[in-house]
């Protein structure tokens, strides 16, 4: 399409993640490593779920369109389950290797999120540089923007889920894990239950805001600290730095 | 090859002999005719750790990784030492992540934009069997034969180098290295520049070209073989690794490339870890002689780490010299001729001559062969992954994780370790599985606009 679409969608989808990376992770080598390890864990979970889907698809070997779609939905649900399992495995690994977990919570989620976002969006992005017309067969012409916003919401959601999940594991609140899993399933299910991508996006963003507020309170923020931060009366404005002290 | 470069103290001369580290470079197997410059020598990648026994505090720190690698001992308070060790180790890992990533970025960017490096245009003489055969079995057989020939060439060159080194034919080795880097810096750069200009349809006249290539090549030769700013040397090493990797990507046929990658990791493992392996023998010989590594074949990243804690090793205070300075003097004396000049400049301007009690210099070294083969893997993934970025990214992450694990093992074992096997294994696994399993899944998801 055009370079404007490419850059616009790229920054919409990856801008906040990049900003988070630059301001909180790039300064600490250990966090960069944990980010890459998180990305690796997500990759392995994707590999496993693709394998299961592939096996299911080749075993049933049915070329019906609805059957394929059912298999795909099955694949998506399995994938979400496996992702959360690997998030737990990642938590176990971090627990073994480092005592100071608090500062790592957002990093792990961000690792998952970045990898997830990149894998779902980068091929679309590279297609947007080439020639073509979007929606020529009646599909919505805002395909790129929708995908970009969806990618953004997924990345941020992964980060919030990471914070909440790890906190739940630390404090042995197992219901937290269940809620994270259910929210993830909900967000994924939205994409195939509802055909209106606009509605999907709005709902996903609502879930994002709610999860964000939950993560904020879980990681120790309070209304008071938020007020201090916004009014710049706080000594440093990054919540992460505060917690890691 | 990965080496820890610790600051020297006076008593480390005999300690180095007892330590298992040696500062040896991988085999520089440059080829005499045309194409393949440093690939053979650099293929034998190796890892060394370099703890100086005279510096106890560093040893303690390097043993601390065991504590965080094994399961956490309950009831142990989170020690400052442990945290510092972790941070110290993490810094080393990042010091290698950055150049490896840069090299891969250069290679992938070139592959995706310049068509020349993905066109089939003949093969190297080291891989004489063609892959344009009718049957799958024949193709597989040809690729295995190609691999055998390539690996035997590498083995022969390695052994040749070990023999040369053992019999102290330094002039020959230096000449060989200089010839290879001349070829890389001038000929391959010229070809690369030509292809890039062709791709972007930019005209450049011959005088400008001559000036550019001459300056680039001459400064490169000076930086790599003699003295130069560390950053510039690192940049040149990354560039020549990328150029070499591009040559491989272009001239190695498909299946042969993958089999060669697998075979060279096995060879690396064998050559570095077996007692009679050529690389290990080289390591031990260099260790006995206390000589520095050939700087043209090793990427080094000196780092200054500030020790801000109470447990400071007193021997580090005398250590504010150039690394390998005592060795330089030793080799100067023992050989009676100028030793191979050290290329590393002190990383800090105010560093020589100041009695800064808190600073120690550390560095990590990785052989250029590792850079080359990592980039070949990622580049091949980018070239043949059917235009798919997911495969490239998956291989990239896999290689970085492999590097991380290898560094972890290095911190645990503290001896020469091969850097290729783990990363290449992960890379290969992820390439084939992403290409065949993940790609259909993600494509199907994208076409139905589902999200996982």
């Amino acid at each position: 399409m055009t370079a404007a679409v490419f850059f616009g969608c790229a920054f919409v989808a990856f801008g906040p993640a990049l900003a988070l990376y630059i301001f909180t992770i790039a300064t600490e080598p250990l966090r960069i490593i944990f980010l890459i390890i998180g990305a690796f864990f997500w990759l392995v979970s994707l590999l496993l779920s693709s394998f299961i889907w592939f096996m299911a698809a080749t075993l049933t070997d049915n070329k019906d369109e609805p059957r394929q779609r059912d298999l795909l939905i099955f694949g998506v649900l399995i994938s979400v389950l496996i992702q959360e399992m690997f998030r737990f495995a990642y938590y176990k690994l971090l627990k073994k290797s480092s005592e100071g977990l608090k500062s790592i919570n957002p990093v792990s989620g961000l690792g998952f999120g970045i990898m997830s976002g990149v894998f779902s969006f980068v091929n679309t992005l590279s297609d947007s540089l080439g020639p073509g017309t979007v929606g020529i067969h009646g599909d919505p012409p805002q395909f790129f923007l929708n995908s970009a916003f969806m990618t953004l919401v997924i990345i941020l959601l992964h980060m919030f889920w990471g914070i909440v999940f790890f906190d739940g594991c630390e404090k042995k609140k197992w219901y937290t894990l269940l809620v994270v899993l259910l929210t993830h399933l909900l967000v994924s299910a939205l994409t195939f239950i509802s055909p209106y991508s606009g509605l999907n996006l709005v709902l996903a963003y609502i879930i994002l805001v709610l999860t964000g507020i939950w993560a904020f309170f879980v990681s120790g923020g309070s209304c008071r600290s938020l007020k201090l931060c916004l009014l710049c009366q706080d000594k440093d404005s990054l919540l992460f730095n505060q917690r890691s002290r | 090859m990965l080496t820890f470069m610790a600051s020297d103290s006076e008593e480390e001369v005999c300690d180095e002999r007892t330590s298992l580290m040696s500062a040896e470079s991988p085999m520089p197997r440059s080829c005499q005719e045309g194409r393949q410059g440093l690939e053979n020598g650099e293929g034998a990648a190796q890892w060394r750790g370099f703890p100086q026994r005279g510096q106890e505090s560093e040893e303690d720190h390097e043993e601390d990784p065991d504590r965080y690698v094994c399961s956490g001992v309950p009831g142990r308070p989170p020690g400052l030492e442990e945290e510092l060790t972790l941070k110290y180790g993490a810094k080393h890992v990042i010091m290698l992540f950055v150049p490896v990533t840069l090299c891969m970025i250069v290679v992938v960017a070139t592959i995706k934009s310049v068509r020349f490096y993905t066109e089939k245009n003949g093969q190297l003489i080291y891989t004489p069997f063609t892959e344009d055969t009718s049957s799958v079995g024949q193709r597989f057989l040809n690729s295995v034969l190609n691999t055998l020939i390539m690996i035997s060439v590498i083995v022969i060159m390695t052994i040749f180098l070990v023999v040369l080194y053992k019999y102290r034919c330094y002039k020959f080795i230096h000449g060989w290295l200089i010839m290879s880097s001349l070829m890389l810096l001038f000929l391959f750069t010229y070809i690369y520049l030509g292809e890039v200009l062709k791709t972007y349809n930019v005209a450049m006249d011959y005088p400008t070209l001559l000036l550019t290539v001459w300056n680039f090549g001459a400064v490169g030769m000076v930086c790599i073989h003699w003295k130069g700013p560390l950053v510039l040397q690192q940049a040149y090493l990354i560039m020549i690794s990328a150029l070499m990797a591009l040559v491989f990507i272009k001239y190695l046929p498909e299946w042969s490339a993958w089999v060669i990658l697998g075979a060279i990791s096995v060879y690396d493992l064998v050559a570095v870890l077996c007692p009679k392996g050529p690389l290990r023998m080289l390591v031990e010989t260099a260790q006995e002689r206390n000589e520095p590594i050939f700087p043209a074949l090793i990427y080094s990243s000196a780092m200054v780490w500030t020790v801000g804690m109470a447990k400071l090793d007193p021997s580090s205070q005398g250590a504010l010299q150039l690394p390998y300075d005592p060795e330089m003097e030793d080799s100067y004396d023992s050989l009676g001729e100028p030793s191979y000049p050290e290329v590393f400049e002190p990383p800090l301007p105010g560093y020589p001559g100041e009695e800064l009690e808190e600073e120690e210099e550390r560095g990590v070294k990785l052989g250029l062969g590792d850079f080359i083969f990592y980039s070949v893997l990622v580049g091949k993934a980018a070239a043949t992954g059917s235009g798919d970025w997911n495969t490239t990214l998956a291989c990239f992450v896999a290689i970085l994780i492999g590097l991380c694990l290898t560094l972890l093992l290095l911190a645990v074992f503290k001896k020469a370790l091969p850097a290729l096997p783990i990363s290449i294994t992960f890379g290969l696994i992820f390439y084939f599985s992403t290409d065949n399993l993940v790609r259909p899944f993600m494509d199907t998801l994208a076409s139905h606009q589902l999200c996982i």
Side-chain angles (χ1 to χ4, degrees):
Chain A
M1 272 88 286
T2 60
V5 169
F6 173 76
F7 281 109
C9 291
F11 287 129
V12 162
F14 298 117
L18 190 67
L20 279 166
Y21 174 80
I22 290 176
F23 289 116
T24 61
I25 297 178
T27 47
E28 282 270 320
L30 199 58
R31 289 188 189 174
I32 300 180
I33 295 174
F34 282 129
L35 188 82
I36 305 262
I37 295 180
F40 180 71
F41 269 76
W42 187 86
L43 200 60
V44 176
S45 78
L46 180 69
L47 197 67
L48 210 57
S49 38
S50 321
F51 179 68
I52 294 178
W53 172 79
F54 194 77
M55 285 291 113
T58 44
L59 283 177
T60 55
D61 206 21
N62 200 330
K63 288 288 180 272
D64 289 347
E65 182 54 38
R67 195 49 183 248
Q68 292 293 318
R69 200 180 152 82
D70 287 339
L71 270 175
L72 202 60
I73 291 174
F74 166 71
V76 167
L77 298 175
I78 289 284
S79 175
V80 170
L81 203 65
I82 295 181
Q83 279 179 51
E84 297 305 325
M85 273 167 46
F86 269 84
R87 208 195 291 274
F88 187 69
Y90 186 42
Y91 167 75
K92 283 285 180 209
L93 179 75
L94 280 193
K95 186 93 176 150
K96 250 206 237 182
S97 71
S98 128
E99 305 279 345
L101 267 187
K102 274 291 183 183
S103 58
I104 302 296
N105 289 357
V107 174
S108 64
L110 199 58
F112 267 63
I114 287 181
M115 206 59 188
S116 167
V118 160
F119 256 66
S120 51
F121 196 51
V122 93
N123 277 332
T124 318
L125 260 188
S126 78
D127 282 340
S128 80
L129 272 177
T133 310
V134 190
I136 203 168
H137 290 296
D139 302 307
Q142 299 92 11
F143 170 66
F144 287 120
L145 266 184
N146 284 344
S147 310
F149 278 107
M150 198 67 201
T151 312
L152 173 66
V153 95
I154 291 285
I155 295 178
L156 291 176
L157 270 175
H158 268 292
M159 188 178 70
F160 294 142
W161 284 330
I163 297 175
V164 167
F165 192 95
F166 277 36
D167 185 74
C169 288
E170 282 280 303
K171 304 200 174 104
K172 306 270 189 262
K173 292 190 208 158
W174 305 115
Y175 70 89
T176 318
L177 308 191
L178 200 60
V179 174
V180 167
L181 177 65
L182 287 176
T183 335
H184 196 167
L185 278 173
L186 182 65
V187 173
S188 295
L190 272 176
T191 53
F192 56 79
I193 289 177
S194 148
Y196 305 106
S197 54
L199 185 64
N200 290 347
L201 269 179
V202 169
L203 284 174
Y205 272 94
I206 292 176
I207 296 179
L208 174 75
V209 169
L210 291 172
T211 324
I213 294 175
W214 186 16
F216 179 72
F217 284 113
V218 147
S219 51
S222 61
C223 294
R224 195 176 148 271
S225 68
L226 184 63
K227 199 171 86 171
L228 284 175
C229 170
L230 287 176
L231 296 176
C232 295
Q233 287 167 2
D234 205 1
K235 255 192 288 183
D236 57 25
S237 43
L238 282 176
L239 191 64
F240 297 153
N241 281 350
Q242 231 180 357
R243 284 308 299 173
S244 60
R245 283 195 199 157
Chain B
M1 180 169 66
L2 216 79
T3 326
F4 281 117
M5 212 166 65
S7 24
D8 297 335
S9 60
E10 287 76 19
E11 63 259 27
E12 99 284 12
V13 173
C14 53
D15 292 327
E16 270 176 275
R17 259 182 225 124
T18 57
S19 75
L20 285 174
M21 280 20 88
S22 79
E24 203 40 65
S25 65
M27 290 348 107
R29 297 177 218 111
S30 56
C31 80
Q32 287 80 357
E33 67 265 294
R35 302 279 184 182
Q36 288 180 12
L38 301 162
E39 39 87 13
N40 293 325
E42 292 145 9
Q46 228 184 77
W47 277 61
R48 311 276 165 79
F50 211 143
Q52 300 289 327
R53 293 295 156 100
Q55 290 163 342
E56 288 306 317
S57 61
E58 288 141 59
E59 283 266 314
D60 289 345
H61 290 144
E62 281 163 12
E63 258 133 36
D64 278 344
D66 294 336
R67 283 199 268 162
Y68 76 80
V69 166
C70 312
S71 57
V73 176
R76 181 197 295 279
L80 179 65
E81 290 171 23
E82 210 174 282
E83 203 174 301
L84 275 171
T85 313
L86 205 56
K87 287 198 169 159
Y88 163 72
K91 232 183 163 77
H92 278 289
V93 176
I94 297 301
M95 281 189 325
L96 285 184
F97 271 12
V98 173
V100 169
T101 311
L102 281 175
C103 192
M104 287 192 213
I105 286 177
V106 170
V107 169
V108 170
T110 311
I111 292 280
K112 289 283 187 185
S113 54
V114 179
R115 211 138 296 233
F116 173 74
Y117 288 102
T118 41
E119 288 164 2
K120 276 297 301 175
N121 221 344
Q123 294 181 196
L124 297 168
I125 57 162
Y126 300 104
T127 52
F129 294 95
T130 174
E131 284 195 9
D132 284 329
T133 54
S134 42
S135 74
V136 172
Q138 182 69 24
R139 185 174 185 183
F140 183 65
L141 183 69
N142 281 356
S143 57
V144 169
L145 290 172
N146 279 340
T147 310
L148 284 174
I149 295 177
M150 184 77 140
I151 300 287
S152 21
V153 168
I154 290 178
V155 170
I156 292 173
M157 300 275 213
T158 316
I159 295 178
F160 184 48
L161 185 82
V162 174
V163 163
L164 281 179
Y165 192 71
K166 252 189 149 59
Y167 291 109
R168 299 176 186 264
C169 311
Y170 293 120
K171 284 203 177 347
F172 193 98
I173 298 179
H174 293 167
W176 193 3
L177 287 180
I178 288 180
M179 280 306 300
S180 339
S181 35
L182 261 178
M183 191 185 63
L184 270 172
L185 281 171
F186 287 100
L187 180 65
F188 287 0
T189 309
Y190 170 73
I191 295 175
Y192 179 78
L193 195 59
E195 292 306 322
V196 169
L197 290 175
K198 258 190 241 172
T199 306
Y200 291 105
N201 207 13
V202 172
M204 188 186 263
D205 52 308
Y206 274 113
T208 314
L209 182 72
L210 190 67
L211 204 65
T212 314
V213 171
W214 167 253
N215 276 307
F216 181 82
V219 175
M221 288 302 289
V222 166
C223 270
I224 294 174
H225 291 279
W226 195 48
K227 295 193 216 294
L230 186 67
V231 176
L232 204 57
Q233 186 204 7
Q234 291 171 343
Y236 270 105
L237 288 175
I238 292 175
M239 277 191 273
I240 64 177
S241 310
L243 284 174
M244 200 69 236
L246 284 169
V247 166
F248 272 138
I249 294 172
K250 180 174 171 64
Y251 289 107
L252 284 181
E254 280 254 8
W255 290 20
S256 307
W258 299 113
V259 184
I260 284 176
L261 277 172
I264 204 146
S265 341
V266 173
Y267 166 69
D268 199 28
L269 196 67
V270 164
V272 175
L273 295 179
C274 283
K276 279 298 167 194
L279 291 181
R280 185 157 166 169
M281 280 171 50
L282 205 59
V283 168
E284 282 157 11
T285 318
Q287 206 176 290
E288 284 163 30
R289 298 183 196 169
N290 262 337
E291 274 168 4
I293 308 174
F294 300 114
L297 296 173
I298 294 274
Y299 175 92
S300 86
S301 49
M303 171 190 101
V304 177
W305 183 52
T306 308
V307 176
M309 21 163 280
K311 199 174 169 191
L312 183 62
D313 181 53
S315 65
S316 69
Q317 291 178 15
L320 297 176
Q321 325 157 14
L322 273 175
Y324 304 113
D325 231 359
E327 287 140 7
M328 267 175 73
E329 288 159 20
D330 282 349
S331 47
Y332 194 97
D333 295 338
S334 62
L335 292 180
E337 58 181 9
S339 70
Y340 201 68
E342 200 51 58
V343 199
F344 317 113
E345 291 283 73
L348 287 187
Y351 158 90
E354 278 184 35
E355 267 290 304
L356 295 166
E357 291 203 354
E358 294 92 33
E359 295 197 25
E360 292 174 354
E361 189 182 304
R362 299 254 188 221
V364 205
K365 293 183 181 183
L366 183 63
L368 287 195
D370 299 327
F371 279 87
I372 291 176
F373 285 107
Y374 293 162
S375 308
V376 166
L377 195 145
V378 175
K380 270 284 184 208
T384 63
S386 48
D388 191 37
W389 283 92
N390 290 347
T391 321
T392 315
L393 283 163
C395 291
F396 168 71
V397 173
I399 287 180
L400 286 188
I401 292 288
L403 194 60
C404 208
L405 279 175
T406 318
L407 262 163
L408 198 68
L409 285 178
L410 184 70
V412 168
F413 288 111
K414 293 196 265 286
K415 55 182 275 205
L417 285 183
L420 280 183
I422 302 182
S423 291
I424 299 283
T425 313
F426 276 10
L428 287 175
I429 293 176
F430 272 83
Y431 171 74
F432 287 111
S433 48
T434 312
D435 207 33
N436 297 315
L437 297 176
V438 176
R439 195 169 46 87
F441 186 47
M442 296 302 287
D443 285 347
T444 325
L445 282 178
S447 65
H448 288 88
Q449 290 198 42
L450 298 185
C451 205
I452 55 164

